[in-house]
Amino acid sequence: MLSSLHQEHLNIAKLLDLLKRKQSFIEHEQKVCYRLIRDVVDYLSEVSDKRHHPKEDMIYEYYLKYRVVDGEVGHRLKEEHDKLVEAGAELKEMVEMILMDAVIPLDQFTAKLQQFIELQEKHMSYEETVIFPRLREALTEDDWRHLEQNWQIHSNADPLFGPEVAQHFRDLAGRLAL
């Protein structure tokens, strides 16, 4: 399960790189396709917020229930997931306003975009360097089997990086050359 979460982090990193390029274009007053930015935010909302983070939360809740863990560490992951959902919703709202021709100062938009990217990257770094190693060390093969069985109920193919690209994400897949 950790290897699939790690792969999902790599996929998210590709999307964050795309957002960074779009942010640079905006800062250099080059033309940007805001629908593409919206598609990235939609994907992260659909996949990260509704599948990836719940999978991590399930594993981590199991870990907290059956292992001794420091108090602060115990709640940080869930709090970060909540912040990411909120930041994504705020960014999507700004993009939607731009797509409806609302006047949004570009410096405000790029600041919100940068904040979103940084939150995502810091969060994934924390998971990769702190959380995942702890889980690897503490959970047994039986624990992982149990978690895998519990997760199978929620498992769906990734609509962008999975075997078939969903219609909604075809433009985004083309931009990523998938």
Side-chain angles (χ1 to χ4, degrees):
M1 288 185 89
L2 285 181
S3 62
S4 71
L5 290 171
H6 174 70
Q7 182 58 53
E8 290 168 7
H9 282 175
L10 295 175
N11 294 340
I12 292 167
K14 289 177 189 175
L15 295 171
L16 296 177
D17 286 343
L18 178 63
L19 289 180
K20 286 179 191 176
R21 287 194 303 275
K22 298 304 170 193
Q23 179 181 2
S24 177
F25 289 171
I26 294 168
E27 290 169 347
H28 292 94
E29 299 179 10
Q30 296 174 337
K31 188 176 178 181
V32 172
C33 177
Y34 285 93
R35 280 189 292 267
L36 185 65
I37 295 172
R38 182 198 55 207
D39 289 349
V40 170
V41 176
D42 280 350
Y43 172 84
L44 291 172
S45 174
E46 182 176 321
V47 175
S48 288
D49 298 345
K50 295 178 182 167
R51 290 191 235 174
H52 177 81
H53 293 155
K55 186 191 302 185
E56 290 173 336
D57 290 341
M58 179 197 70
I59 294 167
Y60 203 63
E61 285 170 15
Y62 180 91
Y63 170 71
L64 292 176
K65 184 175 180 179
Y66 295 106
R67 305 299 187 268
V68 177
V69 180
D70 297 337
E72 178 186 317
V73 173
H75 301 289
R76 180 174 169 182
L77 193 67
K78 179 72 171 128
E79 289 170 1
E80 286 188 10
H81 287 167
D82 292 343
K83 284 180 187 176
L84 289 170
V85 169
E86 183 179 328
E90 290 172 2
L91 181 60
K92 182 176 180 177
E93 183 178 331
M94 282 185 112
V95 173
E96 292 291 350
M97 290 175 66
I98 290 169
L99 289 171
M100 292 187 292
D101 294 327
V103 177
I104 304 288
L106 289 181
D107 61 332
Q108 285 182 10
F109 179 72
T110 57
K112 184 66 69 179
L113 183 57
Q114 183 168 347
Q115 175 193 21
F116 177 77
I117 292 166
E118 287 174 359
L119 275 172
Q120 290 278 353
E121 289 179 334
K122 286 178 184 174
H123 173 70
M124 288 191 304
S125 175
Y126 172 66
E127 288 178 335
E128 292 283 342
T129 60
V130 176
I131 299 299
F132 290 3
R134 287 182 182 197
L135 295 174
R136 249 184 231 101
E137 185 178 301
L139 298 179
T140 66
E141 286 185 37
D142 286 339
D143 292 326
W144 288 114
R145 271 193 292 280
H146 173 77
L147 289 164
E148 189 74 45
Q149 287 173 347
N150 285 345
W151 186 251
Q152 289 305 319
I153 299 165
H154 307 288
S155 185
N156 292 324
D158 187 300
L160 177 61
F161 295 99
E164 289 187 39
V165 176
Q167 180 67 35
H168 179 72
F169 295 116
R170 290 212 171 127
D171 288 342
L172 181 55
R175 294 289 179 121
L176 293 169
L178 298 177

